Amino acid sequence: DCLRGRRMTATVQNPFQHLVEALDPSDQTRQFFNLSKLGDPRYDHLPFSIRILLESAVRNCDEFLVKRSDVESIMNWKQTQTQTVEVPFRPARVILQDFTGVPAVVDFAAMRDAVTKLGADPEKINPVCPADLVIDHSIQVDFNRKSDSLQKNQDLEFDRNKERFQFLKWGSKAFKNMRIIPPGSGIVHQVNLEYLARVVFDHDGFFYPDSLVGTDSHTTMINGLGVLGWGVGGIEAEAVMLGQPISMVLPEVVGYKLSGTPDKFITSTDIVLTVTKHLRQVGVVGKFVEFFGPGVAQLSIADRATIANMCPEYGATAAFFPVDDVSVQYLEQTGREPEKLTYITKYLKAVGMFRDYNNVSQDPDFTQVVELDLSSVVPCCSGPKRPQDRIAVSSMKSDFETCLGAKQGFKGFQVAPDLHTATVPFQFNGQQYSLSHGSVVIAAITSCTNTSNPSVMLGAGLLAKKAIECGLSVKPYIKTSLSPGSGVVTYYLKESGVMDYLSQLGFEVVGYGCMTCIGNSGPLPEPVVEAITQGDLVAAGVLSGNRNFEGRVHPNTRANYLASPPLVIAYAIAGTMRIDFENEPIATNAEGRQIFLRDIWPTREEIQAVERTFVIPSMFKEVYEKIEKVNERWNSLVAPSDKLYTWDPQSTYIKSPPFFDGLTMELQPPKSINDAYVLLNLGDSVTTDHISPAGNIARNSSAARYLTSRGLTPRDYNSYGSRRGNDAVMARGTFANIRLFNKFLNKQAPQTLHLPTGETLDVFDAAERYQQSGVPLLVLAGKEYGSGSSRDWAAKGPFLLGIKAVIAESYERIHRSNLVGMGVIPLEYLPGQTADSLGLTGRERYTIPIPEQLTPRMVVDVKLDTGKTFQVRMRFDTDVELTYFHNGGILNYMIRQMSEN
C-alpha cells in the first residue's frame, strides 16, 4: 500500500492522529480517519472528488512528503481556484495493461541494474503499492466469423508474445505486490470495474477510499463506480509504485448536472458522445468533472462508467460519480461479499462521501456548473476522425458526403466532386461485390467503453435477433468481430439466447481484449484492400470504441465512426455510412420487403427486462473466481525467478534500455539548447498515435528494416505496442504513423526533411543523421499536442531521437507529464502566439538559453539564427517537476533516491 513514503520512519507522528476511531465500536482493530471530527464547515462544501484528495492527505500526513499545509490547501479548495496550488496525492493502488506494463517492468529491471551498479540493494526497486497488470492489449483480430476464431486468435497471441509473457511472469515473481491477470481474461478497465475495484480499502487496520492511477488514459472508467482514478504516464506510475506521491495542481471541479429522462430508444453511447462534444466546447482540460443532479440516479453504474471512460476524449483529468445506493447494488450484482457492502456503506456515510443525487442539500460547491437534459439526447455517432465530432444519426449521410469533398482536415477528405460516386468492383469468395466511398469494411463491437454495459450489449443481441428474423444479413467481406471486455459478457449473451443471432450476422467472439479499439484489427481481405487502393476510396470502420483518430483503427479505413453496439450492427447490415436510417430502408430481404432500422431496434424496456433476468451475481462469481488460473498456457509458462533479469541479446522483444547508461549520483546543471534543428513541423491535435503508433509495423518502415536485419520475416513483426520492451524498435517507430502530417512535406507520411541536405527521409533516419552530427533537435506543434492514449513511449521515443524540447500551443495533460518525466522540455507559446503568427517556418536554427535557477512556468527566450527572438513558457508546472528535470527525468531521480541509503 502507498500509505508510507520511503523515507518516513516509524517515529513520525501523524498530526491528525486524533481523528482516528473505530468504524464499529465493538472492533477496535479496524479504524478510520473521521474527517467529520475536523469540525471544519468548509468540508461539507467540498466536491466529493476533492474530499478523497483530502482524506489521502490527512491519512498520509508526515510533515515531510505530505504536510499540514497541504491538508489546509485542499480544505481551502474554493478559495484557491484562481491560484496554482500544488498538492501531493497518494493513490491506494496502480493498474497497468501489458502494452504499458511491459515497458514499466523493463524499466524496473533496468533500474535494479542501475541501483546495483551504484552499490545499493536492487530489491529497493520494488512496488510498495498494490499493482495489478491485466494482459489485454496483445490479442489481434486475425480470424473472425468462424466458431473457432477465439481459439485461433488466442493461440496466435501466445505464439507471438510468449517472450513478453515470460518476462511479465518473471516480473510477477521478482517483484512483490504485483499481480498479473493472464491473457484471455478481459479488458483492464472492465476487469477493474467488475472485480479489482475495492471502493473502500480495508487494509492494515484502516478503512479508506479506494483510489488509483493507471497507465492507460481510460483508467477514468472506474470513476463511474465512485473510485477516484485517472491515467498517468508509465513513467509517473512507476514512481507511484515506488512510493512517490503524485504532485498535482489542485484542480478546478466542473459540476455537470444531469436532469430529465432519456428517450426509450437512447443508449448510454449516445449520452457519452453528447457529453463528450459538450464538455469539449465547455473546456475542461486539466479539470475534474463531477456529476450530480436527479438525472444521475436514473443511470446504471454501467452507464456512468461509459461516461467516465471517455473522460480523456473530453479532456478532463477525472469524471467522478460519487458512490450512492445504485453503486452498492452494482457491487452486489457483480458478486462482492455482503460484509464488504456493509462496511463500504457505513464508512462512506461516516466520512460524508455517500451521495443521494435527489438530495439538493448535499450538492457541493463547484468552480462552474453546466447542465444536460437527458431528454435532449438523440441517437448519434462520432467521427470521421475524432471522438468529439458528434453527428446525429439522422445527419450521418449528409455529414459524410460533406466531409468527402471538404478540405483535408478533421472533417474533410478533399475528394474531387466528380469522384464522389466512384465504385470499384471486386470478387470475394467467388461472388461479385463493389465498394464506394463510405462503404463499411470493419464493424467491431469492441472496447470496455461499451462491452462493460449489459444494456448496449443485450441491445445489440436483441437487434441481431430481430434482424435475422427479418431475413437480414451482413456482406461476407465486412470484417465483423465481437471482443467482450470480460467472460461475463459471453455468459449472459449465451444465457439470454442472443449469442446465436450475433454469430449468424458474423459477430463471433474473437477474443477478450481491446483489439480493434487500439488498432489490433488485423488484416482486411486482400481483394478489399486492392479495391480501396485502386479507387483511392474513403472506406469506413464503425466500432463501439472510444477513439477513432486517423491511422488508429486500420491503415485502409480513412473514415472511422464511434457508435453504440446496436448501431455497429445496423451499419454493418447497411454496408455503408451513406444511409439515412429515418427515410431509407436498412436493407431489403429475400422476399423483397424493405426493412427499416426502426423495425428491428429494441426499446430500453425490452433490454432492461432481459438484463434483470440474465445478468446475475453468480455469473460474475463463477468467472472471476478462476480468472488468475483459467489460462492453461499461462499456467504452464516457465519463467526465471532471479532478482536481476538476465537480458537476452538475441531478443527482439525485451532489451535493456539505455536510459540509465552512465548515471552517477552527481547532478549536472541544466544545459542550454544551442543551434537546434527542427525535426518535425506539426499542426494541431497531434496524438500519441501519431508520435508512437501501437498498430502494425509497415513493411517499408525503419522498424521493419531493423527487424529484418535481425532475421525476422514480416509475419513475425507483430505490432509496435507488443514491442514496447525493445527501445531499438520503438525509437524507429517514433513518428512512424502513415497519417502524420508534416508541414515540411505538406502531406501525410512518416517522413521529414533533413534540413542540411534537403533529403526526404524516414523520421528515425533523419534523427540518426542529426545525432551523428551532434546536433540537438526540436519539434514545433500546434494545439493539443500529445492528445490520446497515455503512452510513455511517445516521450521516450522522442528522447531517444535526440529531441530536447517541444514548442507547442498547448499540451494534453498526461503527455506533458511524460515529457517532463523523460527530461524533454515542454515549451508553450505565449497566449495569442503561434508558429504562424511568429512567422516560423521550422527551417531556422533555434537557441534556447536555460538558466540554472528555474522556477515553475517561467518564461524563457528563444533565439533564431535569423536574428529574431521570441518568448515561450516552460511547462514545468511544479517544483517537483523541476526536481525531476534537474535529475534528467523522474526515473533517474528515483534511482538516486533509492541508492542514497
Side-chain angles (χ1 to χ4, degrees):
D1 181 28
C2 299
L3 282 172
R4 295 176 179 84
R6 185 186 65 81
R7 291 166 63 184
M8 280 181 62
T9 67
T11 59
V12 173
Q13 176 67 41
N14 186 321
F16 295 98
Q17 197 67 33
H18 63 283
L19 302 181
V20 173
E21 63 179 56
L23 187 63
D24 181 347
S26 66
D27 183 1
Q28 293 295 319
T29 63
R30 300 164 85 192
Q31 301 177 311
F32 72 108
F33 283 80
N34 189 348
L35 301 186
S36 64
K37 287 170 67 175
L38 286 167
D40 194 317
R42 292 174 296 177
Y43 181 71
D44 291 334
H45 294 276
L46 289 177
F48 282 64
S49 51
I50 299 298
R51 296 179 199 187
I52 292 173
L53 300 183
L54 179 70
E55 191 282 338
S56 173
V58 165
R59 178 167 37 88
N60 291 295
C61 188
D62 60 355
E63 292 297 3
F64 175 61
L65 290 170
V66 184
K67 300 177 181 177
R68 278 189 88 124
S69 58
D70 295 321
V71 172
E72 174 58 25
S73 293
I74 299 171
M75 185 66 86
N76 205 35
W77 170 82
K78 189 176 181 182
Q79 280 66 46
T80 60
Q81 294 300 286
T82 58
Q83 307 162 33
T84 300
V85 177
E86 179 189 347
V87 294
F89 175 53
R90 286 190 174 282
R93 58 190 175 99
V94 174
I95 196 161
L96 311 98
Q97 36 88 342
D98 57 300
F99 269 17
T100 50
V102 167
V105 179
V106 166
D107 286 347
F108 273 14
M111 289 171 78
R112 279 195 169 181
D113 291 344
V115 166
T116 302
K117 287 175 185 172
L118 291 173
D121 180 4
E123 289 205 71
K124 286 186 175 179
I125 303 295
N126 199 81
V128 294
C129 268
D132 295 300
L133 191 158
V134 180
I135 300 174
D136 65 354
H137 273 51
S138 300
I139 191 165
Q140 300 184 37
V141 191
D142 290 287
F143 300 94
N144 67 311
R145 284 186 173 257
K146 299 283 178 64
S147 59
D148 61 352
S149 296
L150 171 63
Q151 190 59 52
K152 283 185 171 180
N153 287 328
Q154 288 182 334
D155 288 344
L156 198 49
E157 173 194 23
F158 226 94
D159 292 341
R160 283 177 176 144
N161 296 284
K162 185 178 178 182
E163 197 177 325
R164 295 172 65 242
F165 293 169
Q166 281 179 318
F167 176 69
L168 288 175
K169 200 158 189 182
W170 167 80
S172 69
K173 293 179 180 180
F175 299 107
K176 299 169 188 170
N177 273 335
M178 182 177 283
R179 171 171 51 177
I180 307 283
I181 305 296
S185 303
I187 302 173
V188 56
H189 308 304
Q190 188 162 342
V191 174
N192 192 19
L193 188 73
E194 295 175 354
Y195 175 60
L196 298 174
R198 283 78 156 174
V199 181
V200 170
F201 260 82
D202 176 11
H203 178 78
D204 212 14
F206 277 88
F207 294 105
Y208 51 94
D210 187 4
S211 61
L212 71 154
V213 290
T215 58
D216 189 284
S217 51
H218 295 103
T219 299
T220 52
M221 184 172 183
I222 203 63
N223 294 175
L225 187 55
V227 176
L228 185 63
W230 60 86
V232 297
I235 305 157
E236 196 173 0
E238 291 164 33
V240 172
M241 288 163 72
L242 293 172
Q244 192 74 3
I246 284 177
S247 176
M248 63 184 291
V249 174
L250 196 60
E252 296 180 22
V253 182
V254 175
Y256 199 88
K257 186 175 183 179
L258 295 176
S259 59
T261 303
D263 182 84
K264 64 180 180 178
F265 293 112
I266 293 302
T267 68
S268 58
T269 317
D270 301 320
I271 296 171
V272 72
L273 295 180
T274 303
V275 169
T276 298
K277 182 174 183 178
H278 185 197
L279 285 175
R280 270 286 172 189
Q281 292 168 336
V282 170
V284 292
V285 173
K287 303 174 185 178
F288 283 5
V289 174
E290 186 166 309
F291 292 83
F292 74 109
V296 178
Q298 298 189 49
L299 299 177
S300 68
I301 292 303
D303 290 343
R304 298 176 195 180
T306 298
I307 295 168
N309 177 285
M310 286 193 70
C311 174
E313 281 63 58
Y314 40 87
T317 300
F320 192 66
F321 290 83
V323 174
D324 68 341
D325 286 325
V326 176
S327 315
V328 178
Q329 289 162 16
Y330 175 83
L331 293 172
E332 184 178 13
Q333 181 190 37
T334 51
R336 267 66 167 213
E337 297 301 322
E339 189 216 347
K340 289 184 180 178
L341 306 189
T342 301
Y343 73 65
I344 286 170
T345 304
K346 189 172 184 179
Y347 167 77
L348 291 175
K349 286 183 175 178
V351 293
M353 294 187 197
F354 197 88
R355 193 72 164 96
D356 177 356
Y357 288 100
N358 290 307
N359 183 353
V360 178
S361 67
Q362 267 198 355
D363 291 352
D365 294 335
F366 294 111
T367 310
Q368 176 188 2
V369 172
V370 291
E371 186 169 352
L372 175 68
D373 182 348
L374 293 171
S375 66
S376 69
V377 176
V378 298
C380 55
C381 300
S382 280
K385 302 181 185 182
R386 296 191 303 182
Q388 64 261 41
D389 293 330
R390 171 192 159 277
I391 316 122
V393 169
S394 58
S395 303
M396 277 292 292
K397 181 179 181 179
S398 59
D399 187 85
F400 180 86
E401 290 174 349
T402 301
C403 290
L404 207 53
K407 184 181 176 183
Q408 181 71 40
F410 299 126
K411 294 287 286 185
F413 297 104
Q414 209 161 332
V415 175
D418 59 323
L419 298 177
H420 285 198
T421 56
T423 60
V424 180
F426 69 99
Q427 278 210 332
F428 182 77
N429 290 348
Q431 295 288 318
Q432 189 76 15
Y433 300 96
S434 65
L435 291 180
S436 56
H437 295 297
S439 288
V440 173
V441 295
I442 290 177
I445 299 176
T446 181
S447 172
C448 52
T449 309
N450 283 292
T451 69
S452 60
N453 195 326
S455 67
V456 291
M457 295 303 288
L458 288 167
L462 291 171
L463 184 141
K465 179 176 184 289
K466 293 184 179 189
I468 292 293
E469 289 169 349
C470 286
L472 305 185
S473 61
V474 175
K475 293 181 177 68
Y477 63 80
I478 296 176
K479 188 159 192 179
T480 49
S481 60
L482 168 58
S483 49
S486 82
V488 176
V489 179
T490 311
Y491 205 148
Y492 66 66
L493 290 177
K494 286 181 176 176
E495 289 294 307
S496 61
V498 297
M499 189 67 235
D500 285 344
Y501 298 102
L502 287 162
S503 299
Q504 288 178 60
L505 287 179
F507 289 90
E508 289 278 3
V509 173
V510 294
Y512 297 97
C514 301
M515 303 190 89
T516 300
C517 186
I518 58 159
N520 285 357
S521 50
L524 287 173
E526 202 56 45
V528 172
V529 174
E530 288 171 3
I532 293 170
T533 307
Q534 181 187 331
D536 194 21
L537 298 177
V538 180
V542 57
L543 64 152
S544 63
N546 45 44
R547 292 212 168 124
N548 54 343
F549 301 129
E550 273 189 296
R552 179 183 176 96
V553 174
H554 193 281
N556 295 114
T557 56
R558 287 159 64 190
N560 295 283
Y561 290 92
L562 306 182
S564 66
L567 274 177
V568 169
I569 297 176
Y571 280 109
I573 294 169
T576 180
M577 305 307 294
R578 299 169 82 170
I579 181 171
D580 177 356
F581 281 132
E582 290 187 8
N583 299 304
E584 298 175 56
I586 189 172
T588 302
N589 65 15
E591 298 166 3
R593 179 182 157 213
Q594 291 187 335
I595 307 296
F596 286 81
L597 181 57
R598 56 180 170 268
D599 299 329
I600 59 174
W601 193 270
T603 65
R604 208 172 178 88
E605 290 76 11
E606 286 179 86
I607 295 166
Q608 287 171 346
V610 176
E611 183 177 349
R612 280 193 296 271
T613 306
F614 293 104
V615 184
I616 53 178
S618 60
M619 289 182 176
F620 291 89
K621 284 186 176 178
E622 187 176 332
V623 168
Y624 283 112
E625 276 174 357
K626 55 190 180 184
I627 191 168
E628 293 177 54
K629 301 169 187 171
V630 73
N631 191 316
E632 291 301 328
R633 289 193 69 175
W634 174 265
N635 296 340
S636 61
L637 198 61
V638 177
S641 54
D642 304 331
K643 294 176 188 175
L644 297 178
Y645 187 70
T646 304
W647 306 96
D648 178 2
Q650 301 306 311
S651 174
T652 56
Y653 277 106
I654 307 297
K655 178 177 175 289
S656 180
F659 307 135
F660 315 122
D661 291 354
L663 182 69
T664 64
M665 291 297 291
E666 293 73 37
L667 294 186
Q668 302 298 318
K671 292 181 181 177
S672 295
I673 300 170
N674 295 311
D675 286 329
Y677 278 107
V678 173
L679 180 63
L680 291 153
N681 189 359
L682 307 172
D684 294 341
S685 295
V686 173
T687 70
T688 52
D689 280 294
H690 289 117
I691 304 168
S692 183
N696 292 334
I697 298 172
R699 295 187 182 194
N700 61 348
S701 64
S702 294
R705 290 193 290 276
Y706 169 78
L707 292 171
T708 301
S709 74
R710 299 298 301 270
L712 274 67
T713 59
R715 71 181 299 275
D716 298 317
Y717 288 168
N718 210 333
S719 64
Y720 283 113
S722 68
R723 292 195 179 272
R724 287 184 183 160
N726 186 314
D727 62 272
V729 175
M730 296 310 296
R732 287 165 173 81
T734 303
F735 296 109
N737 191 315
I738 62 170
R739 299 297 177 198
L740 179 75
F741 187 87
N742 183 0
K743 293 179 184 179
F744 283 153
L745 306 179
N746 203 29
K747 66 176 184 179
Q748 291 182 333
Q751 296 177 317
T752 195
L753 208 59
H754 181 249
L755 295 172
T757 63
E759 289 179 79
T760 298
L761 301 171
D762 285 350
V763 174
F764 173 81
D765 298 334
E768 194 172 44
R769 287 248 196 115
Y770 285 121
Q771 285 189 304
Q772 287 167 355
S773 304
V775 179
L777 296 172
L778 301 178
V779 169
L780 300 184
K783 300 181 186 71
E784 298 175 352
Y785 181 74
S787 55
S789 301
S790 59
R791 198 163 287 176
D792 58 343
W793 267 109
K796 289 176 175 176
F799 169 82
L800 292 176
L801 294 187
I803 293 167
K804 303 301 181 186
V806 178
I807 307 178
E809 292 175 50
S810 64
Y811 293 87
E812 194 277 337
R813 175 185 62 83
I814 299 173
H815 184 63
R816 186 199 63 80
S817 172
N818 274 339
L819 290 174
V820 172
M822 286 308 299
V824 177
I825 307 174
L827 301 170
E828 196 167 272
Y829 295 108
L830 297 184
Q833 294 186 345
T834 66
D836 288 342
S837 73
L838 293 168
L840 306 181
T841 66
R843 295 170 184 266
E844 310 89 351
R845 297 192 72 171
Y846 292 65
T847 293
I848 306 170
I850 307 295
E852 281 199 35
Q853 297 300 316
L854 298 175
T855 56
R857 299 179 66 87
M858 75 183 295
V859 172
V860 294
D861 292 331
V862 180
K863 301 174 181 178
L864 308 182
D865 61 346
T866 60
K868 183 181 180 70
T869 297
F870 63 96
Q871 292 188 313
V872 293
R873 187 174 302 282
M874 298 181 80
R875 285 296 311 277
F876 298 123
D877 289 358
T878 66
D879 287 321
V880 171
E881 289 187 344
L882 283 173
T883 300
Y884 297 155
F885 175 66
H886 283 297
N887 277 269
I890 190 171
L891 300 183
N892 293 8
Y893 168 77
M894 293 306 301
I895 289 170
R896 290 188 175 107
Q897 290 289 99
M898 297 293 182
S899 301
E900 274 182 359
N901 298 331

